[in-house]
Amino acid sequence: MDGLNDDQGLLVDIGPNLGAINRSVLVATDYVVIPLGADLFSLQGLKNLGPTLRSWQSLWKKRLDNWETCPEKSSYPDFYLPQGKMQTIGYLCQQHSVRLDRPVKAYDKWVNRIPNVYREAVLNEASNTTFEQKDDPYCLATIKHYRSLIPMAQEHRKPIFNLTSADGAIGSHANAVQDARKDFKNLASIIAGKIGLQL
């Protein structure tokens, strides 16, 4: 992107929908990481997302090709269009919040369907994998359920790993903030490694 050096990157977090604003953002991205939950809605969203991204890539390529042959292009030598790469590099899976009335097996059933659905819907590959999500090389991380840290971070408009005692992160919350900092630093390193970015 204009204003960024070759060794810099820009991370954009968008909402879970396929509307026009998100399409515009994604067209301008090189890489995509897909966050998922352990539920039917995430799997269905994944099935919709894969074909949609491929369609957007194809349609954007046609627009780029049209611009290359457009007579007006020579009048706008500094006009930059993103390449519309949108390469998916993997997914994140949010760990469920364990409750006595919701058995872990109920969540594992959904989680362990993700590797096949990701390959079929997003990578457009025939898949009959037998490994579990925790062994899937496309699973970049399992994100912990940070429970009450989430509303606390939303209230103070900051990332959960930047919460302080002044924000109410004391005792066990302070420990959870430290854990979150380590988890997200590790995730950033994994993503940077996948895209060849030096942190």
Side-chain angles (χ1 to χ4, degrees), residues 49-151:
L49 178 63
T52 300
L53 282 179
R54 286 193 296 277
S55 172
W56 289 353
Q57 287 169 331
S58 176
L59 292 171
W60 188 251
K61 185 178 184 310
K62 288 179 183 177
R63 287 172 173 82
L64 289 176
D65 292 342
N66 288 342
W67 177 247
E68 288 300 317
T69 58
C70 179
E72 295 179 2
K73 183 184 177 185
S74 59
S75 301
Y76 303 94
D78 297 326
F79 185 65
Y80 172 79
L81 286 173
Q83 295 305 301
K85 188 175 176 182
M86 294 181 273
Q87 178 185 338
T88 53
I89 60 170
Y91 62 89
L92 310 172
C93 190
Q94 185 177 29
Q95 192 177 52
H96 53 80
S97 179
V98 178
R99 285 174 46 179
L100 295 177
D101 59 340
R102 295 184 181 177
V104 173
K105 287 184 180 179
Y107 289 93
D108 287 344
K109 176 183 73 172
W110 297 113
V111 167
N112 289 324
R113 291 182 184 176
I114 292 174
N116 274 334
V117 174
Y118 181 84
R119 283 161 176 77
E120 292 169 358
V122 177
L123 302 180
N124 202 24
E125 298 175 356
S127 177
N128 189 21
T129 58
T130 55
F131 53 81
E132 296 181 348
Q133 173 262 327
K134 64 183 178 64
D135 301 317
D136 187 359
Y138 290 110
C139 181
L140 305 180
T142 299
I143 304 299
K144 292 178 185 174
H145 193 292
Y146 292 102
R147 297 182 181 85
S148 54
L149 286 185
I150 302 298

Side-chain angles (χ1 to χ4, degrees), residues 11-19 21-27 29 32-33 35 49 53 56:
L11 179 66
V12 181
D13 183 15
I14 57 175
N17 68 71
L18 300 175
I21 293 175
N22 282 1
R23 179 178 182 174
S24 298
V25 172
L26 285 169
V27 162
T29 64
V32 177
V33 175
L49 178 63
L53 282 179
W56 289 353

Side-chain angles (χ1 to χ4, degrees), residues 154-194:
Q154 290 171 338
E155 179 183 353
H156 296 284
R157 299 184 180 186
K158 59 170 63 173
I160 57 176
F161 49 80
N162 278 346
L163 289 169
T164 66
S165 57
D167 302 320
I170 56 176
S172 61
H173 281 132
N175 294 333
V177 167
Q178 295 302 317
D179 289 343
R181 183 173 288 113
K182 292 175 189 173
D183 291 343
F184 280 97
K185 184 176 182 181
N186 183 53
L187 174 58
S189 297
I190 291 171
I191 293 174
K194 290 277 186 183

